[in-house]
Amino acid sequence: MNRSETSDKCVLVYDNGLFLPLALKLSESFGRTLYYSPWENSYPVLNDCVIGDGFENVERVDDIFEHLDEFDLVVFPDVRNSGLQKHLESIGKRVWGSRECDDLELKRMLLKKKQEQMALNVPKYKSIIGLDELRAFLKDHEDLFIKISQYRGVMETFHHLDYAHSQPILDHLSVLLGPLQNEFPFLVEWPIPDALELGFDGYSVDGNFPSIAIQGWEKKDKGLIASVQKYEDLPKQVLEVNEAFSLLLEKHKYRNFFSTEIRVRDDEGYLIDLTCRAGCPSIESQLQLWKNLSEIIWHGAVGEMVDPEPAGKFAVECMISHQDDKSRWRLLEVPDEIEDNIKPYYCCRLSDGLLAFPPLAFSSETVGSIVCIGDTLESAIDELKEKAQLLEGQPINVQIDSIYDMLKTIHQAEEQGIEFSSQETPEPEIAL
């Protein structure tokens, strides 16, 4: 597919704000790019309704049904809205989305049961109902991970070191959950010590996976280093998980980005979580790496697998944290020469070109990432460090230090026989 095939097509990206960079990327290939993020409630506020505004070639829309006759393709990079996806498909729209398979990410106990049915290794876990029962259990145990399903706005996964450290979190949860606190389900998961974490970062179309993918090593909420590999050369633990879920993905017509988190110890893989959507980080690297992203999505939305065409062999991305008060509007100036490398979240663009990040109920310090690619890992890292300097003088922090930790992890993996690339991996000190 070339530019002419989509130059007269219209794509709608249905997002919650995190994957705005995907809409910006698709706008380079489609004739029109519409962008929608939910904002409706009884007392709407401006902050929810400006995400995606002001960007060239992207049109913010407030009601997708007013534009139903205009878009040819609709892209759901995030979870939920499976019913809407199926409806739009039923009336003839191309739909790139997870459909019902988003439950594999949203419902943690469902994922555990599926793993057991598929004879996959399952980390030790315990289901607990109610905050009182959870408190009693945690008083007698240390070093656990506490997770919940669906409601990330209530709580993100946290590491329980001991009860003294967890008590403030539990006290806050009692306020948030109120009278439902002893009816709320929790998942307690034991750690897998001395394990490496790896996974798949790519996409799936009806249970099929492309012949090329990236192997990414992540520093949580900080960054990602990825190498482009043949799918068949990915670690066997990654291939095992993908193969196990392929029939389920095919059954529900899963057509979306897809990531896995797998802990490996003694050559055995333990699936921790599935990401049945665009991963963050990892989608940012794919936006930069895949030259034919619009073709992948356009054809994938109707069940046709298209392999990616890589623009480089490596990608490096570092998250950008903003030091201003997240309860207020925050601004970021992006020089023209690095605009393509910056992937901003939850923002609009002002008439003077500044990116403006509105305060939202779930605002975080992270406002985006910077991504560079190259044919050598060293060149990608050097370019990222150089371009990050162009952001200096603003109240932000580019998490370049995470490159050191990621390179160190890659070396540890290679010592255990997990090859990252045919090229020699630079020493971690290159990041300093």
Side-chain angles (χ1 to χ4, degrees), residues 174-235:
S174 70
V175 175
L176 291 176
L177 297 173
L180 296 178
Q181 60 184 284
N182 286 322
E183 300 177 25
F184 196 82
F186 296 90
L187 180 69
V188 177
E189 196 168 284
W190 274 255
I192 303 173
D194 303 319
L196 291 169
E197 183 171 310
L198 51 79
F200 174 79
D201 289 296
Y203 54 92
S204 178
V205 175
D206 294 352
N208 297 308
F209 297 91
S211 64
I212 297 175
I214 59 174
Q215 181 188 154
W217 292 90
E218 176 186 348
K219 176 72 172 177
K220 186 170 176 58
D221 300 327
K222 302 291 184 180
L224 179 86
I225 291 179
S227 68
V228 176
Q229 295 186 354
K230 292 181 179 179
Y231 181 79
E232 62 190 30
D233 292 337
L234 291 174

Short mmCIF file of all heavy atoms in Angstrom, two decimals, residues 174-235:
data_model
loop_
_atom_site.label_atom_id
_atom_site.label_comp_id
_atom_site.label_asym_id
_atom_site.label_seq_id
_atom_site.Cartn_x
_atom_site.Cartn_y
_atom_site.Cartn_z
N SER A 174 -9.34 2.66 52.06
CA SER A 174 -10.58 2.59 52.84
C SER A 174 -11.44 3.82 52.63
O SER A 174 -12.67 3.74 52.65
CB SER A 174 -10.24 2.41 54.33
OG SER A 174 -9.69 3.60 54.87
N VAL A 175 -10.79 4.97 52.40
CA VAL A 175 -11.53 6.20 52.12
C VAL A 175 -12.12 6.15 50.70
O VAL A 175 -13.29 6.48 50.48
CB VAL A 175 -10.62 7.43 52.28
CG1 VAL A 175 -11.37 8.70 51.87
CG2 VAL A 175 -10.13 7.54 53.72
N LEU A 176 -11.30 5.72 49.75
CA LEU A 176 -11.75 5.68 48.36
C LEU A 176 -12.90 4.69 48.16
O LEU A 176 -13.86 4.97 47.42
CB LEU A 176 -10.58 5.29 47.43
CG LEU A 176 -9.45 6.30 47.27
CD1 LEU A 176 -8.35 5.70 46.39
CD2 LEU A 176 -9.97 7.59 46.63
N LEU A 177 -12.81 3.53 48.81
CA LEU A 177 -13.81 2.49 48.60
C LEU A 177 -15.02 2.64 49.50
O LEU A 177 -16.08 2.06 49.22
CB LEU A 177 -13.15 1.11 48.81
CG LEU A 177 -12.04 0.76 47.83
CD1 LEU A 177 -11.36 -0.55 48.23
CD2 LEU A 177 -12.58 0.65 46.41
N GLY A 178 -14.87 3.37 50.61
CA GLY A 178 -15.99 3.63 51.49
C GLY A 178 -16.71 2.37 51.94
O GLY A 178 -16.08 1.39 52.35
N PRO A 179 -18.04 2.37 51.84
CA PRO A 179 -18.81 1.22 52.32
C PRO A 179 -18.61 -0.06 51.50
O PRO A 179 -19.07 -1.13 51.91
CB PRO A 179 -20.26 1.71 52.23
CG PRO A 179 -20.24 2.77 51.18
CD PRO A 179 -18.91 3.44 51.32
N LEU A 180 -17.92 0.04 50.35
CA LEU A 180 -17.68 -1.14 49.52
C LEU A 180 -16.33 -1.78 49.81
O LEU A 180 -15.97 -2.78 49.18
CB LEU A 180 -17.74 -0.77 48.04
CG LEU A 180 -19.09 -0.26 47.51
CD1 LEU A 180 -18.97 0.12 46.05
CD2 LEU A 180 -20.16 -1.32 47.69
N GLN A 181 -15.60 -1.24 50.80
CA GLN A 181 -14.23 -1.69 51.00
C GLN A 181 -14.12 -3.17 51.36
O GLN A 181 -13.13 -3.82 51.02
CB GLN A 181 -13.54 -0.85 52.08
CG GLN A 181 -14.18 -0.88 53.44
CD GLN A 181 -13.47 0.07 54.40
OE1 GLN A 181 -12.39 -0.22 54.88
NE2 GLN A 181 -14.08 1.22 54.63
N ASN A 182 -15.13 -3.72 52.01
CA ASN A 182 -15.05 -5.14 52.39
C ASN A 182 -15.77 -6.06 51.40
O ASN A 182 -15.98 -7.23 51.68
CB ASN A 182 -15.56 -5.34 53.81
CG ASN A 182 -14.55 -4.84 54.83
OD1 ASN A 182 -13.35 -4.99 54.64
ND2 ASN A 182 -15.04 -4.21 55.89
N GLU A 183 -16.15 -5.49 50.26
CA GLU A 183 -16.72 -6.28 49.17
C GLU A 183 -15.83 -6.24 47.93
O GLU A 183 -16.11 -6.90 46.93
CB GLU A 183 -18.11 -5.77 48.82
CG GLU A 183 -19.09 -5.83 49.99
CD GLU A 183 -20.45 -5.24 49.65
OE1 GLU A 183 -20.80 -5.21 48.44
OE2 GLU A 183 -21.14 -4.78 50.57
N PHE A 184 -14.77 -5.47 48.02
CA PHE A 184 -13.91 -5.23 46.86
C PHE A 184 -12.87 -6.35 46.73
O PHE A 184 -12.22 -6.71 47.71
CB PHE A 184 -13.21 -3.87 47.00
CG PHE A 184 -12.61 -3.35 45.73
CD1 PHE A 184 -13.41 -2.69 44.80
CD2 PHE A 184 -11.27 -3.51 45.45
CE1 PHE A 184 -12.86 -2.20 43.62
CE2 PHE A 184 -10.71 -3.04 44.28
CZ PHE A 184 -11.52 -2.37 43.37
N PRO A 185 -12.68 -6.89 45.52
CA PRO A 185 -11.71 -8.00 45.34
C PRO A 185 -10.29 -7.51 45.11
O PRO A 185 -10.06 -6.51 44.41
CB PRO A 185 -12.25 -8.71 44.09
CG PRO A 185 -12.92 -7.63 43.31
CD PRO A 185 -13.49 -6.66 44.31
N PHE A 186 -9.35 -8.22 45.67
CA PHE A 186 -7.93 -7.95 45.48
C PHE A 186 -7.23 -9.23 45.03
O PHE A 186 -7.67 -10.33 45.35
CB PHE A 186 -7.28 -7.47 46.78
CG PHE A 186 -7.82 -6.16 47.29
CD1 PHE A 186 -8.91 -6.13 48.16
CD2 PHE A 186 -7.24 -4.96 46.91
CE1 PHE A 186 -9.41 -4.93 48.63
CE2 PHE A 186 -7.74 -3.75 47.38
CZ PHE A 186 -8.82 -3.74 48.24
N LEU A 187 -6.14 -9.05 44.30
CA LEU A 187 -5.30 -10.18 43.90
C LEU A 187 -3.92 -9.98 44.52
O LEU A 187 -3.28 -8.94 44.30
CB LEU A 187 -5.19 -10.27 42.38
CG LEU A 187 -4.32 -11.41 41.84
CD1 LEU A 187 -4.99 -12.76 42.10
CD2 LEU A 187 -4.05 -11.24 40.35
N VAL A 188 -3.49 -10.94 45.28
CA VAL A 188 -2.16 -10.91 45.88
C VAL A 188 -1.27 -11.87 45.11
O VAL A 188 -1.64 -13.03 44.90
CB VAL A 188 -2.22 -11.32 47.37
CG1 VAL A 188 -0.81 -11.37 47.97
CG2 VAL A 188 -3.11 -10.36 48.16
N GLU A 189 -0.10 -11.38 44.68
CA GLU A 189 0.78 -12.20 43.86
C GLU A 189 2.17 -12.24 44.49
O GLU A 189 2.73 -11.20 44.86
CB GLU A 189 0.84 -11.63 42.45
CG GLU A 189 1.41 -12.58 41.41
CD GLU A 189 1.18 -12.06 39.99
OE1 GLU A 189 0.03 -12.16 39.48
OE2 GLU A 189 2.14 -11.56 39.40
N TRP A 190 2.72 -13.44 44.60
CA TRP A 190 4.06 -13.61 45.13
C TRP A 190 5.10 -13.25 44.06
O TRP A 190 4.87 -13.52 42.87
CB TRP A 190 4.28 -15.04 45.59
CG TRP A 190 3.82 -15.31 46.99
CD1 TRP A 190 4.60 -15.46 48.10
CD2 TRP A 190 2.46 -15.48 47.44
NE1 TRP A 190 3.82 -15.70 49.22
CE2 TRP A 190 2.50 -15.72 48.84
CE3 TRP A 190 1.21 -15.43 46.82
CZ2 TRP A 190 1.36 -15.92 49.60
CZ3 TRP A 190 0.07 -15.62 47.56
CH2 TRP A 190 0.15 -15.86 48.95
N PRO A 191 6.20 -12.65 44.44
CA PRO A 191 7.24 -12.33 43.46
C PRO A 191 7.96 -13.60 42.98
O PRO A 191 7.86 -14.65 43.61
CB PRO A 191 8.20 -11.43 44.25
CG PRO A 191 8.04 -11.87 45.67
CD PRO A 191 6.59 -12.27 45.81
N ILE A 192 8.65 -13.46 41.87
CA ILE A 192 9.49 -14.53 41.35
C ILE A 192 10.93 -14.03 41.46
O ILE A 192 11.39 -13.26 40.61
CB ILE A 192 9.13 -14.88 39.90
CG1 ILE A 192 7.66 -15.26 39.80
CG2 ILE A 192 10.01 -16.01 39.37
CD1 ILE A 192 7.17 -15.46 38.39
N PRO A 193 11.63 -14.40 42.52
CA PRO A 193 12.96 -13.84 42.77
C PRO A 193 13.98 -14.28 41.73
O PRO A 193 13.84 -15.33 41.09
CB PRO A 193 13.31 -14.37 44.16
CG PRO A 193 12.50 -15.62 44.29
CD PRO A 193 11.22 -15.37 43.55
N ASP A 194 14.98 -13.42 41.57
CA ASP A 194 16.11 -13.72 40.68
C ASP A 194 15.64 -14.03 39.25
O ASP A 194 16.16 -14.92 38.58
CB ASP A 194 16.92 -14.90 41.21
CG ASP A 194 17.44 -14.66 42.61
OD1 ASP A 194 17.88 -13.53 42.89
OD2 ASP A 194 17.39 -15.60 43.43
N ALA A 195 14.63 -13.28 38.82
CA ALA A 195 14.08 -13.50 37.48
C ALA A 195 14.29 -12.27 36.60
O ALA A 195 14.37 -11.14 37.09
CB ALA A 195 12.58 -13.82 37.57
N LEU A 196 14.40 -12.50 35.31
CA LEU A 196 14.44 -11.43 34.33
C LEU A 196 13.04 -11.22 33.77
O LEU A 196 12.25 -12.17 33.68
CB LEU A 196 15.39 -11.79 33.19
CG LEU A 196 16.88 -11.84 33.52
CD1 LEU A 196 17.64 -12.48 32.36
CD2 LEU A 196 17.43 -10.45 33.80
N GLU A 197 12.72 -9.98 33.41
CA GLU A 197 11.41 -9.73 32.81
C GLU A 197 11.59 -9.40 31.34
O GLU A 197 12.33 -8.49 30.98
CB GLU A 197 10.68 -8.59 33.52
CG GLU A 197 9.28 -8.37 32.96
CD GLU A 197 8.45 -7.40 33.79
OE1 GLU A 197 8.38 -7.59 35.02
OE2 GLU A 197 7.86 -6.48 33.19
N LEU A 198 10.92 -10.16 30.49
CA LEU A 198 10.93 -9.88 29.06
C LEU A 198 9.51 -9.99 28.55
O LEU A 198 8.57 -10.23 29.31
CB LEU A 198 11.89 -10.81 28.33
CG LEU A 198 11.79 -12.32 28.57
CD1 LEU A 198 10.66 -12.93 27.78
CD2 LEU A 198 13.10 -12.99 28.19
N GLY A 199 9.33 -9.82 27.26
CA GLY A 199 7.97 -9.89 26.73
C GLY A 199 7.93 -9.61 25.24
O GLY A 199 8.94 -9.34 24.60
N PHE A 200 6.74 -9.68 24.71
CA PHE A 200 6.49 -9.39 23.30
C PHE A 200 5.92 -7.99 23.17
O PHE A 200 5.07 -7.58 23.97
CB PHE A 200 5.49 -10.41 22.74
CG PHE A 200 5.05 -10.11 21.33
CD1 PHE A 200 5.86 -10.42 20.25
CD2 PHE A 200 3.82 -9.52 21.08
CE1 PHE A 200 5.45 -10.15 18.95
CE2 PHE A 200 3.38 -9.26 19.79
CZ PHE A 200 4.21 -9.57 18.72
N ASP A 201 6.38 -7.26 22.18
CA ASP A 201 5.81 -5.94 21.85
C ASP A 201 5.58 -5.90 20.36
O ASP A 201 6.54 -5.92 19.57
CB ASP A 201 6.76 -4.81 22.27
CG ASP A 201 6.84 -4.64 23.78
OD1 ASP A 201 5.81 -4.29 24.37
OD2 ASP A 201 7.92 -4.85 24.35
N GLY A 202 4.33 -5.89 19.98
CA GLY A 202 4.01 -5.88 18.56
C GLY A 202 2.51 -5.77 18.37
O GLY A 202 1.85 -4.95 19.00
N TYR A 203 1.96 -6.63 17.52
CA TYR A 203 0.51 -6.61 17.28
C TYR A 203 0.09 -8.00 16.85
O TYR A 203 0.91 -8.86 16.51
CB TYR A 203 0.13 -5.56 16.23
CG TYR A 203 0.89 -5.67 14.92
CD1 TYR A 203 0.37 -6.40 13.85
CD2 TYR A 203 2.10 -5.00 14.73
CE1 TYR A 203 1.04 -6.49 12.65
CE2 TYR A 203 2.78 -5.08 13.52
CZ TYR A 203 2.25 -5.82 12.48
OH TYR A 203 2.92 -5.91 11.28
N SER A 204 -1.22 -8.21 16.90
CA SER A 204 -1.78 -9.48 16.48
C SER A 204 -3.02 -9.23 15.63
O SER A 204 -3.80 -8.30 15.91
CB SER A 204 -2.16 -10.34 17.69
OG SER A 204 -2.75 -11.57 17.28
N VAL A 205 -3.20 -10.03 14.61
CA VAL A 205 -4.38 -9.97 13.76
C VAL A 205 -4.99 -11.36 13.72
O VAL A 205 -4.42 -12.30 13.17
CB VAL A 205 -4.03 -9.50 12.33
CG1 VAL A 205 -5.26 -9.57 11.42
CG2 VAL A 205 -3.47 -8.08 12.35
N ASP A 206 -6.13 -11.50 14.38
CA ASP A 206 -6.86 -12.78 14.43
C ASP A 206 -5.97 -13.93 14.91
O ASP A 206 -6.00 -15.04 14.37
CB ASP A 206 -7.45 -13.11 13.06
CG ASP A 206 -8.55 -12.13 12.65
OD1 ASP A 206 -8.94 -11.29 13.49
OD2 ASP A 206 -9.00 -12.19 11.50
N GLY A 207 -5.14 -13.67 15.92
CA GLY A 207 -4.29 -14.70 16.49
C GLY A 207 -2.98 -14.92 15.77
O GLY A 207 -2.16 -15.73 16.21
N ASN A 208 -2.78 -14.23 14.67
CA ASN A 208 -1.52 -14.31 13.95
C ASN A 208 -0.59 -13.17 14.40
O ASN A 208 -1.06 -12.10 14.81
CB ASN A 208 -1.75 -14.21 12.44
CG ASN A 208 -2.59 -15.37 11.92
OD1 ASN A 208 -2.27 -16.52 12.18
ND2 ASN A 208 -3.65 -15.07 11.19
N PHE A 209 0.69 -13.41 14.29
CA PHE A 209 1.68 -12.41 14.67
C PHE A 209 2.60 -12.15 13.48
O PHE A 209 2.86 -13.04 12.67
CB PHE A 209 2.49 -12.90 15.87
CG PHE A 209 1.65 -13.10 17.10
CD1 PHE A 209 1.07 -14.33 17.37
CD2 PHE A 209 1.41 -12.06 17.97
CE1 PHE A 209 0.27 -14.53 18.49
CE2 PHE A 209 0.62 -12.23 19.10
CZ PHE A 209 0.05 -13.47 19.37
N PRO A 210 3.10 -10.92 13.35
CA PRO A 210 3.95 -10.60 12.18
C PRO A 210 5.27 -11.33 12.22
O PRO A 210 5.72 -11.78 13.28
CB PRO A 210 4.13 -9.08 12.31
CG PRO A 210 3.98 -8.79 13.78
CD PRO A 210 2.94 -9.77 14.26
N SER A 211 5.91 -11.44 11.09
CA SER A 211 7.18 -12.16 11.00
C SER A 211 8.33 -11.35 11.57
O SER A 211 9.43 -11.87 11.75
CB SER A 211 7.48 -12.54 9.55
OG SER A 211 7.67 -11.37 8.75
N ILE A 212 8.07 -10.05 11.85
CA ILE A 212 9.08 -9.17 12.45
C ILE A 212 8.45 -8.52 13.67
O ILE A 212 7.29 -8.11 13.65
CB ILE A 212 9.55 -8.10 11.45
CG1 ILE A 212 10.25 -8.76 10.26
CG2 ILE A 212 10.47 -7.09 12.12
CD1 ILE A 212 10.64 -7.78 9.17
N ALA A 213 9.21 -8.43 14.73
CA ALA A 213 8.71 -7.81 15.96
C ALA A 213 9.88 -7.13 16.67
O ALA A 213 11.01 -7.12 16.16
CB ALA A 213 8.06 -8.85 16.87
N ILE A 214 9.60 -6.55 17.81
CA ILE A 214 10.69 -5.99 18.60
C ILE A 214 10.79 -6.74 19.93
O ILE A 214 9.79 -7.18 20.49
CB ILE A 214 10.51 -4.48 18.88
CG1 ILE A 214 9.20 -4.18 19.63
CG2 ILE A 214 10.59 -3.68 17.60
CD1 ILE A 214 9.05 -2.72 20.04
N GLN A 215 12.02 -6.93 20.36
CA GLN A 215 12.27 -7.43 21.70
C GLN A 215 12.64 -6.22 22.55
O GLN A 215 13.65 -5.56 22.28
CB GLN A 215 13.40 -8.46 21.74
CG GLN A 215 13.64 -9.01 23.14
CD GLN A 215 14.87 -9.88 23.26
OE1 GLN A 215 15.45 -10.00 24.32
NE2 GLN A 215 15.29 -10.48 22.15
N GLY A 216 11.81 -5.89 23.52
CA GLY A 216 12.03 -4.69 24.30
C GLY A 216 12.35 -4.99 25.75
O GLY A 216 11.78 -5.89 26.35
N TRP A 217 13.28 -4.23 26.30
CA TRP A 217 13.61 -4.31 27.72
C TRP A 217 13.25 -2.97 28.35
O TRP A 217 13.74 -1.93 27.94
CB TRP A 217 15.09 -4.64 27.90
CG TRP A 217 15.39 -6.03 27.45
CD1 TRP A 217 15.76 -6.43 26.20
CD2 TRP A 217 15.32 -7.22 28.24
NE1 TRP A 217 15.93 -7.79 26.15
CE2 TRP A 217 15.67 -8.31 27.40
CE3 TRP A 217 15.00 -7.48 29.57
CZ2 TRP A 217 15.71 -9.63 27.84
CZ3 TRP A 217 15.05 -8.79 30.02
CH2 TRP A 217 15.39 -9.85 29.16
N GLU A 218 12.38 -3.04 29.35
CA GLU A 218 11.77 -1.84 29.90
C GLU A 218 12.25 -1.55 31.31
O GLU A 218 12.49 -2.45 32.11
CB GLU A 218 10.23 -2.03 29.91
CG GLU A 218 9.46 -0.90 30.54
CD GLU A 218 7.97 -1.21 30.66
OE1 GLU A 218 7.52 -2.20 30.04
OE2 GLU A 218 7.27 -0.48 31.38
N LYS A 219 12.39 -0.27 31.59
CA LYS A 219 12.51 0.21 32.95
C LYS A 219 11.17 0.87 33.26
O LYS A 219 10.81 1.88 32.66
CB LYS A 219 13.64 1.23 33.07
CG LYS A 219 13.80 1.88 34.44
CD LYS A 219 14.36 0.92 35.46
CE LYS A 219 14.68 1.67 36.76
NZ LYS A 219 15.18 0.76 37.82
N LYS A 220 10.39 0.27 34.15
CA LYS A 220 9.00 0.66 34.34
C LYS A 220 8.86 2.17 34.55
O LYS A 220 9.50 2.76 35.41
CB LYS A 220 8.40 -0.09 35.53
CG LYS A 220 6.89 0.16 35.69
CD LYS A 220 6.28 -0.76 36.71
CE LYS A 220 4.81 -0.45 36.94
NZ LYS A 220 4.03 -0.56 35.69
N ASP A 221 7.98 2.76 33.71
CA ASP A 221 7.65 4.18 33.78
C ASP A 221 8.84 5.09 33.48
O ASP A 221 8.78 6.29 33.75
CB ASP A 221 7.06 4.55 35.14
CG ASP A 221 5.77 3.80 35.45
OD1 ASP A 221 5.02 3.51 34.50
OD2 ASP A 221 5.54 3.49 36.64
N LYS A 222 9.91 4.51 32.93
CA LYS A 222 11.11 5.30 32.66
C LYS A 222 11.54 5.24 31.20
O LYS A 222 11.90 6.25 30.61
CB LYS A 222 12.27 4.83 33.54
CG LYS A 222 12.01 4.88 35.04
CD LYS A 222 11.91 6.29 35.56
CE LYS A 222 11.75 6.30 37.09
NZ LYS A 222 11.65 7.66 37.63
N GLY A 223 11.52 4.03 30.61
CA GLY A 223 11.99 3.94 29.24
C GLY A 223 11.98 2.53 28.69
O GLY A 223 11.55 1.57 29.34
N LEU A 224 12.46 2.41 27.45
CA LEU A 224 12.48 1.13 26.75
C LEU A 224 13.64 1.13 25.75
O LEU A 224 13.91 2.14 25.10
CB LEU A 224 11.16 0.91 26.00
CG LEU A 224 11.05 -0.40 25.19
CD1 LEU A 224 10.55 -1.53 26.09
CD2 LEU A 224 10.10 -0.22 24.01
N ILE A 225 14.33 0.00 25.67
CA ILE A 225 15.30 -0.24 24.61
C ILE A 225 14.83 -1.45 23.83
O ILE A 225 14.52 -2.49 24.43
CB ILE A 225 16.71 -0.48 25.18
CG1 ILE A 225 17.27 0.81 25.80
CG2 ILE A 225 17.65 -0.98 24.09
CD1 ILE A 225 18.64 0.64 26.41
N ALA A 226 14.76 -1.33 22.50
CA ALA A 226 14.19 -2.41 21.69
C ALA A 226 15.07 -2.71 20.50
O ALA A 226 15.70 -1.82 19.92
CB ALA A 226 12.79 -2.03 21.22
N SER A 227 15.11 -3.99 20.14
CA SER A 227 15.79 -4.41 18.91
C SER A 227 14.77 -5.08 17.99
O SER A 227 13.88 -5.78 18.44
CB SER A 227 16.92 -5.39 19.22
OG SER A 227 16.41 -6.62 19.71
N VAL A 228 14.92 -4.83 16.70
CA VAL A 228 14.06 -5.46 15.70
C VAL A 228 14.59 -6.87 15.43
O VAL A 228 15.78 -7.05 15.18
CB VAL A 228 14.04 -4.63 14.41
CG1 VAL A 228 13.22 -5.33 13.32
CG2 VAL A 228 13.48 -3.23 14.67
N GLN A 229 13.69 -7.85 15.50
CA GLN A 229 14.09 -9.24 15.32
C GLN A 229 13.08 -9.98 14.46
O GLN A 229 11.92 -9.56 14.35
CB GLN A 229 14.18 -9.96 16.67
CG GLN A 229 15.25 -9.44 17.61
CD GLN A 229 15.37 -10.30 18.86
OE1 GLN A 229 14.59 -11.22 19.07
NE2 GLN A 229 16.37 -10.03 19.68
N LYS A 230 13.53 -11.07 13.89
CA LYS A 230 12.58 -12.00 13.29
C LYS A 230 11.74 -12.60 14.41
O LYS A 230 12.25 -12.91 15.49
CB LYS A 230 13.31 -13.11 12.53
CG LYS A 230 14.04 -12.65 11.29
CD LYS A 230 14.70 -13.84 10.60
CE LYS A 230 15.42 -13.41 9.34
NZ LYS A 230 16.09 -14.56 8.67
N TYR A 231 10.45 -12.74 14.14
CA TYR A 231 9.56 -13.28 15.17
C TYR A 231 10.05 -14.63 15.69
O TYR A 231 10.05 -14.88 16.90
CB TYR A 231 8.14 -13.41 14.59
CG TYR A 231 7.13 -13.93 15.59
CD1 TYR A 231 6.57 -13.10 16.54
CD2 TYR A 231 6.73 -15.27 15.56
CE1 TYR A 231 5.64 -13.58 17.46
CE2 TYR A 231 5.81 -15.76 16.47
CZ TYR A 231 5.26 -14.90 17.41
OH TYR A 231 4.35 -15.39 18.32
N GLU A 232 10.52 -15.46 14.79
CA GLU A 232 10.94 -16.81 15.18
C GLU A 232 12.18 -16.80 16.08
O GLU A 232 12.48 -17.81 16.73
CB GLU A 232 11.22 -17.64 13.93
CG GLU A 232 12.33 -17.09 13.07
CD GLU A 232 12.44 -17.78 11.71
OE1 GLU A 232 11.41 -18.24 11.20
OE2 GLU A 232 13.58 -17.85 11.18
N ASP A 233 12.90 -15.67 16.11
CA ASP A 233 14.11 -15.57 16.92
C ASP A 233 13.85 -14.99 18.30
O ASP A 233 14.79 -14.86 19.10
CB ASP A 233 15.16 -14.71 16.20
CG ASP A 233 15.71 -15.38 14.95
OD1 ASP A 233 15.63 -16.62 14.86
OD2 ASP A 233 16.19 -14.66 14.07
N LEU A 234 12.60 -14.63 18.58
CA LEU A 234 12.27 -14.13 19.91
C LEU A 234 12.49 -15.25 20.94
O LEU A 234 12.44 -16.44 20.61
CB LEU A 234 10.82 -13.65 19.97
CG LEU A 234 10.50 -12.38 19.16
CD1 LEU A 234 8.99 -12.12 19.18
CD2 LEU A 234 11.25 -11.17 19.69
N PRO A 235 12.71 -14.90 22.21
CA PRO A 235 12.90 -15.94 23.23
C PRO A 235 11.75 -16.93 23.26
O PRO A 235 10.58 -16.57 23.05
CB PRO A 235 12.97 -15.12 24.53
CG PRO A 235 13.48 -13.78 24.11
CD PRO A 235 12.88 -13.54 22.76
#
